Amino acid sequence: SDKGCLLVANHVSFLDPPVVACSVYHRGVCFMARDTLSNTWLGKWYFNGIGAVALDRTKGDVGALRKAISLLKEGRTLGFFPEGTRSPDGELKTAKAGVGFLVFKGHVPVVPAYIDGTFKALPKNATRPKLSRISIRYGQPIMPDDLKNMGTGKEAYEKIGMLIMSKIAELKPKQE
């Protein structure tokens, strides 16, 4: 499809963006990434090369969110981790308000995903990866019309964030 969409997933490892990007090989995926990742020449070269949108996490970076919305309206696929940072224990955290704003203003389908195995392979603060089976499960898209009754403003953004995290949680594999 030539319509933009937002891919939202849990975030536990630096491996998560490549897992998402490789799993949708038929579409190029650009990501929101914290601006400090491009502080070095190598980081700047890499993140510019993949079309990442730099996000200043020290403030509500409306400029970065507006840039992301324009990419969605151009028909691009945007990868986004609603928790805002990697989970230190592998468990789902609450969504930051920015994802609700992005979804509300972007008016595109939102595809939830759950990434499994990257925490075991390369958790936060690990220095080297371990061998691990990695998988990603995608859920049914949340369509813009599904969000009509969420209201407006900050309250709506929070409700959208909670809905997205619940859809991601539903995709988590059951423990044997």
Side-chain angles (χ1 to χ4, degrees), residues 37-113:
L37 291 174
S38 60
N39 282 350
T40 65
W41 72 268
L42 183 63
K44 188 171 281 192
W45 171 81
Y46 177 74
F47 286 102
N48 284 341
I50 64 168
V53 177
L55 178 72
D56 181 347
R57 293 189 318 182
T58 63
K59 62 182 174 73
D61 193 345
V62 177
L65 291 170
R66 288 197 194 290
K67 182 173 182 191
I69 290 164
S70 74
L71 289 171
L72 292 170
K73 291 191 183 292
E74 288 171 15
R76 302 288 302 273
T77 300
L78 182 66
F80 194 87
F81 300 105
E83 298 155 294
T85 188
R86 289 168 294 145
S87 169
D89 60 6
E91 296 303 314
L92 291 172
K93 305 299 178 209
T94 56
K96 300 286 185 213
V99 73
F101 176 84
L102 188 58
V103 169
F104 191 83
K105 300 287 188 187
H107 207 71
V108 295
V110 179
V111 180

Side-chain angles (χ1 to χ4, degrees), residues 1-8 20-21 23-32 50-53 68-80 102 108-111 138:
S1 161
D2 58 356
K3 193 164 172 61
C5 76
L6 188 63
L7 297 178
V8 292
V20 171
S23 71
V24 287
Y25 54 87
H26 60 288
R27 290 185 81 137
V29 181
C30 42
F31 288 90
M32 302 280 299
I50 64 168
V53 177
I69 290 164
S70 74
L71 289 171
L72 292 170
K73 291 191 183 292
E74 288 171 15
R76 302 288 302 273
T77 300
L78 182 66
F80 194 87
L102 188 58
V108 295
V110 179
V111 180
Y138 286 97

